[in-house]
Amino acid sequence: MNARCSEVIAFDHVGYRVQERAVLTDFDLRVFPGEVLMLMGRSGTGKTTGLKLINGLLSPSSGQVTVEGRATTEWDIISLRRRIGHAIQEVGLLPHLNVRRNIGLVPQLEKWPRQRTEARIDALMQLLGLPPDLGSRYPHELSGGQRQRVGVARALAADPPLLLMDEPLGALDPLTRGEVQREVKSLQERLQKTVVFVTHDVREALLLGTRIALLESGELAGSYSPEEFLRSRQPQASAYTAVLRAEL
């Protein structure tokens, strides 16, 4: 690992193709420690592909993706993925495991001592507003908001330095989504993880993000602080802010 490398993630002239179709083209992006980078763009612009390139589910057709200064193709794939927490819209909780066992799954795979794992589960449930009595319930017995909180807790369980979040709150009703957004924001302020977060929701991007990256046709169209995003005259940013203002 290159100790001089300041960025946690770097895309260097990355291309990704599926047969003859270019999903990403000459894509350059940096993600820095403690940053919450919100990836936005129309469906099919390469946002989820970008996440999969970070955790090694895909390999670039050209260029290079590095995590902590090392190309993803040079990492031991298990070691790489265990440094990354992953939360997705579908949550992905194992239906045959109760809440506590779902949260403790990765620490168990990492062979943490039982006492340490149990303490970690307790701490995360408290941090995410999950009452202790939920620990023995199964995913089908939870509300949508509770399942999302458990999914975030599981992503955080082994204390990974990097979180990838692929529209994790997209399936929630607006009231529950707002509640979980506030939980996630409070959590980030305390833990200072590095986060790459895919969303279509401009309000969510402005609330949670320290920086917003816009993708258009597989290329980086712009990168902004929330304040810069609202002031930008760049067409893609202007389209999002026009929608936002229409809703106010």
Side-chain angles (χ1 to χ4, degrees):
M1 187 179 303
N2 185 352
R4 296 174 298 174
C5 182
S6 59
E7 66 262 14
V8 178
I9 301 165
F11 287 80
D12 288 302
H13 303 289
V14 170
Y16 183 77
R17 303 184 67 86
V18 177
Q19 297 178 345
E20 297 303 313
R21 185 173 71 91
V23 181
L24 292 176
T25 304
D26 199 30
F27 187 71
D28 280 288
L29 185 66
R30 301 288 185 273
V31 185
F32 297 95
E35 191 169 41
V36 182
L37 179 76
M38 309 299 288
L39 284 181
M40 298 189 70
R42 296 180 178 87
S43 297
T45 56
K47 303 181 300 299
T48 296
T49 296
L51 296 190
K52 291 179 178 180
L53 287 165
I54 293 168
N55 70 10
L57 281 172
L58 299 175
S59 295
S61 304
S62 58
Q64 180 174 263
V65 181
T66 59
V67 175
E68 297 179 341
R70 184 189 305 172
T72 53
T73 52
E74 297 174 359
W75 274 88
D76 172 78
I77 198 65
I78 294 175
S79 298
L80 173 63
R81 290 177 185 164
R82 288 187 180 173
R83 293 191 64 74
I84 298 172
H86 205 163
I88 59 177
Q89 181 173 329
E90 294 82 6
V91 184
L93 300 179
L94 297 179
H96 61 287
L97 299 183
N98 65 26
V99 165
R100 292 187 68 88
R101 291 187 65 195
N102 263 290
I103 296 173
L105 184 62
V106 177
Q108 181 182 357
L109 292 172
E110 291 282 328
K111 302 190 185 306
W112 284 23
R114 182 178 178 83
Q115 186 174 3
R116 182 187 177 196
T117 299
E118 294 299 321
R120 180 67 173 164
I121 295 169
D122 290 338
L124 286 169
M125 290 186 67
Q126 181 177 3
L127 199 61
L128 282 154
L130 293 164
D133 64 301
L134 287 185
S136 60
R137 295 189 191 177
Y138 290 82
H140 73 275
E141 299 175 302
L142 306 177
S143 69
Q146 288 168 339
R147 284 195 296 272
Q148 291 296 160
R149 287 179 170 91
V150 174
V152 173
R154 188 178 64 178
L156 290 166
D159 200 22
L162 173 61
L163 295 178
L164 304 181
M165 308 185 83
D166 193 356
E167 296 193 77
L169 313 183
L172 299 178
D173 65 83
L175 182 60
T176 304
R177 185 169 186 160
E179 292 173 352
V180 181
Q181 284 171 346
R182 289 188 288 273
E183 293 276 4
V184 171
K185 184 173 179 63
S186 174
L187 193 69
Q188 173 60 12
E189 289 171 350
R190 283 175 279 177
L191 300 182
Q192 291 295 296
K193 299 289 184 184
T194 302
V195 184
V196 182
F197 193 122
V198 169
T199 184
H200 284 98
D201 185 334
V202 65
R203 292 175 183 272
E204 186 166 77
L206 294 168
L207 174 68
L208 300 179
T210 57
R211 188 157 54 101
I212 299 168
L214 284 181
L215 278 70
E216 181 70 21
S217 302
E219 299 181 1
L220 183 65
S223 175
Y224 315 86
S225 71
E227 295 78 15
E228 291 168 340
F229 181 83
L230 287 172
R231 296 196 306 266
S232 176
R233 296 183 180 275
Q234 201 264 0
Q236 288 83 356
S238 297
Y240 275 109
T241 52
V243 171
L244 175 63
R245 291 186 181 110
E247 293 176 349
L248 294 177

